[in-house]
Amino acid sequence: MASTPRIVIIGAGIVGTNLADELVARGWNNITVLDQGPLNMPGGSTSHAPGLVFQTNPSKTMASFAKYTVEKLLSLTEDGVSCFNQVGGLEVATTETRLADLKRKLGYASSWGIDGRILSREECKELYPLLNEENILGGLHVPSDGLALAARAVQLLIKRTEAAGVKYRGSTTVTGIEQSGRRVTGVETSEGVIPADIVISCAGFWGAKIGAMIGMAVPLLPLAHQYVKTTPVPAQQGRNELPNGATLPILRHQDQDLYYREHGDRYGIGSYAHRPMPVDVDTLGTYAPETVSEHNMPSRLDFTLEDFLPVWEATKQLLPALAEAEIEDGFNGIFSFTPDGGPLLGESKELDGFYVAEAVWVTHSAGVAKAMAELLTTGRSETDLGECDITRFEDVQLTPGYVSETSQQNFVEIYDVLHPLQPKLSPRNLRVSPFHARHKELGGFFLESGGWERPYWFEANAALLKEMPAEWLPPARDAWSGMFSSPIAAAEAWKTRTAVAMYDMTPLKRLEISGPGALKLLQELTTADLDKKPGAVTYTLVLDHAGGVRSDITVARLAEDTFQLGANGSIDTAYFERAARHQTQSGSASDWVQVRDTTGGTCCIGLWGPLARDLVSKVSDDDFTNEGLKYFRAKNVVIGGIPVTAMRLSYVGELGWELYTSADNGQRLWDALWQAGQPLGVIAAGRAAFSSLRLEKGYRSWGTDMTTEHDPFEAGLGFAVKMAKESFIGKGALESRTEEGSARRLRCLTVDDGRSVVLGKEPVFYKEQAVGYITSAAYGYTVAKPIAYAYLPATVSVGDSVEIEYFGRRITATVSEEPLYDPKMTRLRG
């Protein structure tokens, strides 16, 4: 067998052992797995995890991980017994809010291909006889959920992979990471150095300590979570043959932050209904291997009974039979939480060859391992990892204070019913644009993303609702879609389409790529031909080797060796930085290239609308005519005495420019445009209007409308791919593909009743079959109807009728030609 890279996996829990197994399955054989604890019970989260696997998740990625985990553990057997007890899952509602949430979760399940059903209270009682049906309104039943036998799975995986040549070293402490030339070369341990070409940290709540060894901030917080076992429950006597067996579905009572599973005739109860309990791993001390046991391990802390007693009463209300039992044993078990609740996956930007797979729970363990094995062996995961990428956070989100506060808040809210736009209450105002003071004066309503405060609408525009034509006034929304929305957005859209509006585009990630090798780098990483004269602006895609869409960006060639990129976030920054470093290190002097994130030092105003040219001519002597600055061109201008880079592009579909200047000049630029625009009726407009206008033009948003799971032709972006280019990453994979030959297409839907607004991720049905899901949605103020985009089979054509399931009811929609607004582009080019 050919030799493969030398792999060292740090952590022999459910993630590390699964990863070793997935790598072996793909032909990699030179693998060493380390753990500081004994291999029969390493003492991390896996060793005490109760094993409940609820697959349904708002995230397609996380649901995919959970589905594969179920499949893998079902297939992992010994003596005819698998490592998954598929008893099903039941989530019950005791409030109308929770019942509505379960209906929405059933929609997620349908979108991601998971079978489930909403049950009446009587059906819940029939399925789960111990329930007090008077307390519940209904439930969600997913038959394929169940219990992962995590500790058993680890031992079987060790056995299987050892037979394939994987080396395991228990009771071995990692003391450092060796490196040379910004590439990992080995792992220092208490037993000496182990040479390595690739190191993957699967260390669980110790992950931040491992990351710190290479100067990497791993944003996870270890937190304690309560779990108890009861004394035998008389009603359970004789129900389960095995002491730890279970036949009833796993149960969640999220209105009280509780979950339940059987342990033979006993019950296991998990609670999040207590104060966050952060854990400093440096205080856990060292455990002699011979002392580690089920009741004595680093991840199992002393039980704090006072934190559990209130929910013990709630438990007896829901499951009256447990009133005949007592709390026999309890502990506070350590798990990893992150600022956004997602796992941390991928390659470090600090050190090539050093990867992490941290903050992964048993529920998603095998799916994460599969994705990581694909990433290591082929360079990409079949499942999009954008939501989980370790480089997704901004620097301000990696500070210890931010990680601690937001991770604790995620613990508190883990079972709460949260709206997709639900903002953090704290920390806020971490990053504000130079226009923030003006936005506050105008009554801006702010939501937060990536640490940025983003205005969604402005109360100063409320009076416009009385001025605008009646046909622009949107219909009343239902309570859910109406949250964090305002009809004021309609007025802002109206003024954008009929006069002129100013949008704060500052949070858009901006990168400067410069140097003699800049063009070479960008030509290889993007699908467009960027070898154009300075002043050209190009919309292009960044693909992976299989043709999946990593990102979509705009590239402005500001000078021969200087380009400005409008990117999608920190994942793009890390990708371009790594590629630039490799090109510079391996090439000649002419290949040297530098990547700088200029976002914080610059700002941007989107000035858009039919009167935009009238406005800017009042404060600039530069030529803003069609001939002076053509569509998708850039030039340096002076506005109100301020140096500005103007780019003729617009994501709202109206005449105008993105106007860039340094942050110190930002407020002056805003004030100059604002004052000059008063006679023209200029307004400030927010993100809500922007999102609506974007969809009316059919413009895609990366991360929702396309990911690495979609190629450009499926996403309707074939125009951005220049196959005549000599080479670019992903070209080979696209050679035989066309838009017409795609099995699925991103389609525009218009809602037939003209008023039902969906929010995204809802399932789409065609001829009573779930065939796709909503990617983006908004009310279209110009076209006076709700709009949604969805991936649908190519057999579903324009004019066909489909149904969107929203909170359990079906909404009829029509597949429509796109774009809905200005298909001939006369507004943009005027």
Side-chain angles (χ1 to χ4, degrees), residues 221-240:
L221 182 72
L223 284 164
H225 157 60
Q226 291 201 305
Y227 192 77
V228 307
K229 287 183 182 178
T230 68
T231 57
V233 178
Q236 286 288 97
Q237 189 172 3
R239 183 176 184 91
N240 297 303

Side-chain angles (χ1 to χ4, degrees), residues 514-521 560-561 583 588-594:
S514 61
L519 178 62
K520 177 183 177 180
L521 180 81
E560 197 68 27
D561 290 347
Q583 178 175 300
S588 62
S590 62
D591 290 322
W592 181 87
V593 60
Q594 174 181 268

Side-chain angles (χ1 to χ4, degrees), residues 722-801:
K722 304 306 177 189
M723 294 299 289
K725 268 179 73 173
E726 183 177 345
S727 77
F728 58 84
I729 290 175
K731 180 181 178 183
L734 299 184
E735 293 284 1
S736 60
R737 301 188 205 177
T738 63
E739 195 163 318
E740 294 72 23
S742 298
R744 61 180 177 178
R745 301 272 293 278
L746 185 62
R747 296 290 199 182
C748 175
L749 311 179
T750 53
V751 175
D752 292 351
D753 67 16
R755 65 178 184 276
S756 296
V757 177
V758 298
L759 297 180
K761 303 184 179 182
E762 295 87 358
V764 179
F765 290 80
Y766 179 65
K767 296 181 178 178
E768 293 302 314
Q769 295 293 315
V771 294
Y773 60 92
I774 301 300
T775 59
S776 291
Y779 185 84
Y781 300 112
T782 317
V783 299
K785 62 181 71 173
I787 308 166
Y789 273 75
Y791 277 98
L792 300 176
T795 51
V796 182
S797 305
V798 171
D800 284 345
S801 180

